[in-house]
Amino acid sequence: MLPNAQGVFETHQSVHPVSVIMYKHDLVYLTEDASHDAAIEHINEEAFGPGRFTRAAARIREQGPHDLSLSFICTDNGETIASVRMTPVLAGSVKGHLLGPLAVRPSHKNKGIGRELVRIAVEAARRKGSEAVILVGDPPYYGPLGFEKVAYNALSFPGPVDPGRVLVVPIAAGVHERLKGIIAWHG
């Protein structure tokens, strides 16, 4: 069914005016740089609140800087609306990256932006030679993105973590066997 010259959709029985609301999004994915810091902090505050600093993964991120070359943002018409960061870690004997935080502004949720940021970050880590991408997150969300559960209590975090939420995308051979011990920042 196509609109006629007046923009009305016609059927063989009657004429129905149709109101169409269209949202134009100009989504662009970029490598993070220092100019994005304030916007990313705002997005993370909005998504996770003040409790974000008490999480075990935040304890790791406090140990050293994230890898800007593997951290990405998404903009919509020039406004930063989502981000993902990757922090270099040594997890047992695996040289990998800790993914997170991943956050999307509420106005842009459920559009696949977070999944695309994860895809971009994991692929960038693969190209850079990372052995694994690790995170603490929701298995139903991250499983379809290639994440697998790490063996129960295999990694020791600097704070409490639900072992059922520790996930990994193994990139190198033998990753699961070597993910045993402490996970910490590794520069």
Side-chain angles (χ1 to χ4, degrees):
M1 196 172 8
L2 296 173
N4 66 15
Q6 291 76 37
V8 175
F9 288 85
E10 294 183 11
T11 66
H12 67 307
Q13 294 177 358
S14 62
V15 176
H16 303 280
V18 176
S19 296
V20 178
I21 299 174
M22 296 183 67
Y23 297 98
K24 182 177 182 317
H25 292 286
D26 186 15
L27 300 178
V28 178
Y29 296 86
L30 303 167
T31 304
E32 179 189 331
D33 66 41
S35 72
H36 303 120
D37 284 347
I40 291 169
E41 179 58 28
H42 175 72
I43 292 167
N44 288 330
E45 179 181 12
E46 191 174 50
F48 304 112
R52 69 190 180 281
F53 298 116
T54 64
R55 297 179 179 191
R59 301 279 74 84
I60 294 169
R61 291 193 278 279
E62 288 174 346
Q63 297 170 6
H66 62 283
D67 185 338
L68 280 172
S69 72
L70 299 180
S71 299
F72 300 91
I73 63 150
C74 179
T75 66
D76 184 2
N77 293 317
E79 176 192 0
T80 302
I81 52 92
S83 76
V84 65
R85 286 183 165 168
M86 297 275 271
T87 301
V89 294
L90 185 61
S93 65
V94 175
K95 291 181 181 175
H97 287 86
L98 181 67
L99 187 144
L102 167 68
V104 179
R105 303 269 337 258
S107 59
H108 288 75
K109 284 188 178 289
N110 302 313
K111 298 181 188 317
I113 295 166
R115 289 185 297 279
E116 181 64 7
L117 282 169
V118 170
R119 188 197 65 74
I120 291 167
V122 169
E123 186 53 38
R126 185 183 317 277
R127 285 192 310 272
K128 192 167 182 175
S130 183
E131 293 185 299
V133 175
I134 303 160
L135 62 78
V136 179
D138 187 22
Y141 180 85
Y142 289 101
L145 302 176
F147 285 83
E148 305 166 0
K149 286 188 177 184
V150 170
Y152 199 82
N153 282 334
L155 291 175
S156 176
F157 282 76
V161 166
D162 176 350
R165 294 173 49 87
V166 180
L167 308 173
V168 64
V169 171
I171 297 172
V175 164
H176 279 284
E177 295 78 21
R178 296 185 296 125
L179 283 175
K180 292 181 179 25
I182 295 171
I183 181 170
W185 183 82
H186 181 74

